[in-house]
Structure formats: C-alpha cells, structure tokens
Amino acid sequence: MRYLLSLLSIFFLNCITKDATPVFKPVPIPVKEVVVEDLNKPWSIAFLSEEIALVSEKNGDLVKVNLTYQTKTSIKGFPSDLKDSIGAVDFGDNAGIFDVLIDPNYNQNKRIFIAYAAEKPNIGSTTKFISARLANDSLTDIQTILVAAPFTQDNFHYGGGMAIGTDQKLYLTVGERLYWENDEPTTPIAQDLNDPRGKMHRFNLDGSIPKDNPLIGKGAIASIYAYGIRNAQGIALNPSTQSLWFTEHGTIQGDELNLLQSGGNYGWPSRTTGKLRSKTYKPPVLADSSVVEPVWYWQHTVAPTGLCFYTGTTFPQWTNSLFVPGLSRGSLWRFKLDEDVPISAEELFLDSRARSRKIAQSPAGKLYLLTDEENGKIIEIKPKTNEL
C-alpha cells in the first residue's frame, strides 16, 4: 500500500512540474474563414498544389484560383457545346460546369477530367464527360469520354460527379434527368440498362472501357457499373477501406449515402427512403434481394452534394471522418465511421449555415467548403486562434 501511494505521489508531482507533458491536449475549435469570393456558384475544386486549384463555376467558367493571393484566371478553350455557351442558366436549371478532377499522373501528362451539361441547339442537353490537357491556362487535346444521350429539354439532375478508385479507374455519375415520376417510360430510365442516365459508369483513365466491368444484363451499355440511381452528385474514395461512397438526391426526403457495389441496383424509382413527387405514379415492383440498401438516409431534405473523407490531423477529433455538405438548409454533416459503417452523425456550424456544393481536402490536409451562391466563396475550416 505504501508503495502504491508513493507511485501516485510521483505521478501527481510530475503532472504539475514545469517540464511535465500535459495529460490532456485541448481540442481545436473549428471556425470558418473566407479565402476566396466572387465565384459564380462554384461546384468543384481540384488542387494542382497547396496554393493553386482549379474551380468549376456552375454558372460561369472553369477557373484557376490562387488561394494565397485570392486571384482567379479563366481557363480558355472550353468546349463550345457547354449549355448556353457561357454557362448562364435560368433559375431552377441545374445545367452548368460540374466536377473537375486531376489525373493521378498530372505532373507527367497535364490531363484533367471535366463534367458539364452539353447542349444541342433546339434539341436539348445532357451530361458530358471529357478529358483535356491543361497548358498555358488553356484546354487542349480534348477527348470525349461519355455523352449520356439522349439530349432532352429537361434541365434537372445531371449528376456530374467523378472519382478515381484505388483500381485507377474513373467513376462517373449521371442523373436520370427527370423531375416528375409521371414522365418515366414503361421501363424507368434508371432501370433501363440501354440508357446511360440514372447510372454509375466506370472507365479506364484513357477513356476506354475496362474489361472487368460487371455484366449486368443482355445489351447493357458496357460502361455501366451500377444503376437505379436518381441523381448522384458526389462520389469519393474512403482511403481507409478503399471503397467508394456516393450521395444521392431523393425527392420528398429520400436523400441517401450509398456504398458503390459492382453491378448494384439502387432501386430508383421502385425503392426509395422518401416519397415520390407524382402521387399517382406506380413504379414497377422489384425483388427485395435485387436492391442495394443505403448505408444512411436522412428523415428530412438535405440535398447532399460533394462529400469528402478527412485524413488530416489539424482536427484530430475529426480524422477519418466523412463530411457531407448539403444545398438544403445549408447544412454540413460529419459522420464518424467504423470501417464503412456510420456510427454517429452531427451537423456542424448550425449558427452559420451556407448552401454548399462541395467539401474538399487540400494536399496538406486543409478543409475547404464551396458555397453555392452567385457571390460564391471558398471557405477554409481552420482552428480558432487564441485572442489575448
């Protein structure tokens, strides 16, 4: 007993000595700081370095942004079939420039990937994915990867998300493009394997189709990797598990987080965690075993967008968390995960909501949030500094 008391005395003395290592470290308090503004509804950000990034403006241009000097330069040579040529869109029109992504071998080949709404005059628009070389602030050597025809007059739910998996394949999201379920054909668009809409597509980085893509059905488009998806804008790699996660927009509620499965049917419009807009629409019945269930869904409308797995150390309490911004209510969600299972969820910055299209991590582990506004902003989430 005397020995135990002696050990305890030494422990407490060490804790209060000048050179003692603190037992507990203070948890950094996150705050928002505007880094760049005056962006026209920024949709995506891709880092060329810690200081320089490419930002797609949904209603504007593809721009190169200097995060230190707060300058932006428009990238020249964008394809002329961009809807409305300069990306100007009416209220409620989802068209514009979507995701921008850097090739893993960018330092050697200078290639980037871009998704946008392409237009055929007097016919309509659809989602298009291209690759291009970036040289002297211009796009060159533009190559088409996917045109999700048919072109239609519907201006909704293009999708437009992109990610590169650990398999070094390019994954693309295409929305089903409808607003009302009553407009569905007999075989719903997202369930039709001869229609590229409402699907997840998988390509090699050179734009060819991988030989190991799933054989989903007779006559299926060869690039289809998964289907039954209403409108997925965000897709991201979980570096801990090497799995791909994607967000999905529901109608009346029904917003979801999903794990991507090869050949998976995600059920839309026959299965949803929300309600259909068209009350009289009766979708075809699917077998329960044929549907991939979401790993998470909300009981209210969130409109989740470009998600991000945080691997930085600035906020150790957040390391390996999943972040999901939302357009509705300007929400920002953090999910604590056990492998690929959400075990808790919290909504951040309740007193400073911002309609947000993307959250992304820089090469050095900084967190940036893009606000979906005409005076759009790049906001850094950083630790609060002590004020003396």
Side-chain angles (χ1 to χ4, degrees), residues 42-265:
W43 207 99
S44 178
I45 184 169
F47 295 91
L48 297 175
S49 67
E50 188 63 27
E51 182 181 52
I52 307 297
L54 294 176
V55 175
S56 59
E57 296 177 311
K58 175 178 172 289
N59 290 13
D61 299 319
L62 178 65
V63 297
K64 186 173 74 174
V65 174
N66 187 305
L67 298 170
T68 301
Y69 295 102
Q70 302 180 344
T71 59
K72 68 174 186 176
T73 303
S74 293
I75 301 300
K76 300 180 288 294
F78 203 94
S80 60
D81 61 349
L82 173 63
K83 189 176 186 299
D84 291 339
S85 297
I86 58 172
V89 294
D90 298 328
F91 178 78
D93 190 331
N94 296 154
I97 306 176
F98 309 132
D99 224 344
V100 57
L101 192 64
I102 306 297
D103 189 293
N105 297 313
Y106 176 81
N107 289 337
Q108 288 74 43
N109 61 26
K110 303 302 179 185
R111 296 206 73 81
I112 64 174
F113 302 96
I114 308 167
Y116 67 99
E119 182 178 44
K120 285 186 176 180
N122 304 317
I123 297 176
S125 61
T126 194
T127 315
K128 184 175 180 178
F129 299 86
I130 63 171
S131 71
R133 286 185 65 249
L134 181 61
N136 300 319
D137 296 334
S138 295
L139 299 181
T140 63
D141 188 23
I142 296 173
Q143 299 179 14
T144 298
I145 297 173
L146 175 67
V147 178
F151 288 75
T152 74
Q153 295 294 333
D154 299 294
N155 294 320
F156 307 100
H157 307 149
Y158 290 90
M162 297 188 291
I164 295 173
T166 55
D167 56 3
Q168 294 299 291
K169 306 301 182 187
L170 179 65
Y171 293 82
L172 316 174
T173 75
V174 180
E176 70 148 11
R177 302 292 311 287
L178 297 182
Y179 188 84
W180 298 102
E181 294 81 40
N182 278 341
D183 293 331
E184 293 278 11
T186 302
T187 299
I189 290 172
Q191 296 294 324
D192 186 351
L193 298 177
N194 296 299
D195 192 315
R197 298 170 296 172
K199 312 296 190 301
M200 195 73 65
H201 297 262
R202 180 176 182 252
F203 286 86
N204 294 314
L205 297 182
D206 64 4
S208 62
I209 296 174
K211 295 180 180 179
D212 60 347
N213 269 7
L215 300 174
I216 297 176
K218 184 178 180 180
I221 296 173
S223 62
I224 293 176
Y225 190 79
Y227 62 108
I229 299 166
R230 182 174 181 266
N231 184 37
Q233 289 189 354
I235 178 170
L237 177 71
N238 182 347
S240 296
T241 63
Q242 301 185 358
S243 60
L244 287 162
W245 288 56
F246 66 91
T247 57
E248 184 169 6
H249 285 227
T251 48
I252 303 171
Q253 289 84 56
D255 294 331
E256 298 176 354
L257 284 173
N258 286 291
L259 270 170
L260 183 60
Q261 294 185 19
S262 175
N265 181 0

